[in-house]
Amino acid sequence: MKNTIKIVQYQNEIDKLAKVDVSVLEGHLSYSEQAIIGAFESSDRKIKAGIINTLLNGFLGGLFISIGYIAALYAIQGITTTGIKQVIFGIIFPVGLLLVTFLGGGIYTSHCVGFINAATGHANPWLFVRNLLLIFLGNFIGCLFAAVIIYYAAVFGHQTTTDLNSFAGQTMNMIQHKIGSIGEALAHGQAVTGSDMGITFLNSLMSGIFCNILVAATLYVTYFSKSPTASILCIFFVLLAFCISGFQHVVANSFIFWMNVLMLGTTMFGTEVLSGSSVGYFAGFNLLPAFIGNFLGGAIIIPTVAYFIAHKKVVATAVNLKKENYASKIKILQLKAGFAEIIDNNFVLDQTKFNNAISNVQLPVKKHWFVKKTKN
């Protein structure tokens, strides 16, 4: 009986939503509107994904991002000219994000876009927060997995951490670069000042904002066209701009963080070795501000502007998504209640049995806790 009551309740919700005018979606959609609606629908699926699914996608995303980073570090070995180095890095690194886009996986930066779904009441805020944290956890573990493998493949036993012609040297250089003024102080045995910490935190925060303005935009450009070639080219050039600029991406930086942990005690580009304190500095003055900055750029700035650009069409899309969600829940309940079965991969409903069951359903009366009592 409980299943039948739920079915009736869900059907009532569908009937209410059916009264909402969604004809705005029937007209021509511009490239930007297709992109905005596609990103909204994608975010809706990510928010509704299960715990295990989200963790596994996060792991895969972290692994792929790390692979892109590893390939890029190999590609820039021996290059000292900053501009050329950044361009080559930018050409190679997007491989990781392209793998995520077309092969599978998820990353924290693109999951941030779902904030607008939750903030506007079109998705469960708790599920958004839960899956956002889970995807980052999966990313973090995936980066650790990649870091351990490459450490023992290319760093362990190689006394080349100060040689830019080696992978180990480029990695050490990147570790120092990621913690800015703090890295310089640690490398030369100097005391880390409050100014060093403040500057590094602010740099990472602001860089993180710009990072996810660009990276989150790749979720939108994925859906602006039905042509995979067009999507790949657009994603590539957006990511190229991000990489050349050197903005702080918390997931990519997580790979370097784990390399920092694994390379403790090795020689830095200075007079000192990489100390244990560098781990705390990296977490507190790179990962944390990048995490916040990525959220601000990819959850607040881009999605909010995009939402208001195509507000009516996004709302209509949300209505359709809710109707589809209720319809799928009804089918599941019909199967559980024995009103339907799967025959040769087809959903077959016993309409007579179902109609008889719901005709006798009386919905429970909702309690009104704050009804003002009237005096006789």
Side-chain angles (χ1 to χ4, degrees), residues 85-97:
K85 184 177 179 179
Q86 292 295 94
V87 170
I88 293 175
F89 192 96
I91 291 172
I92 304 300
F93 179 78
V95 167
L97 282 166

Side-chain angles (χ1 to χ4, degrees), residues 101-122:
T101 302
F102 294 101
L103 189 57
I107 52 175
Y108 165 79
T109 44
S110 64
H111 270 62
C112 286
V113 176
F115 173 77
I116 198 68
N117 297 54
T120 54
H122 298 308

Side-chain angles (χ1 to χ4, degrees), residues 19 29 35 78 106 149 181 224 236 239 255 292 298 346 359 363 367:
K19 297 176 183 178
L29 296 177
I149 292 175
S181 301
F224 90 99
F236 173 78
L239 294 178
F255 167 72
I292 297 169
N346 293 315
S359 63
L363 295 178
K367 293 182 179 180

Side-chain angles (χ1 to χ4, degrees), residues 66-79:
S66 299
I67 289 172
Y69 219 130
I70 291 166
L73 287 173
Y74 269 114
I76 60 174
Q77 290 178 100
I79 300 174

Side-chain angles (χ1 to χ4, degrees), residues 235-254:
I235 291 170
F236 173 78
F237 283 111
V238 171
L239 294 178
L240 179 63
F242 148 65
C243 293
I244 289 175
S245 304
F247 295 137
Q248 303 298 330
H249 187 288
V250 69
V251 178
N253 289 0
S254 294

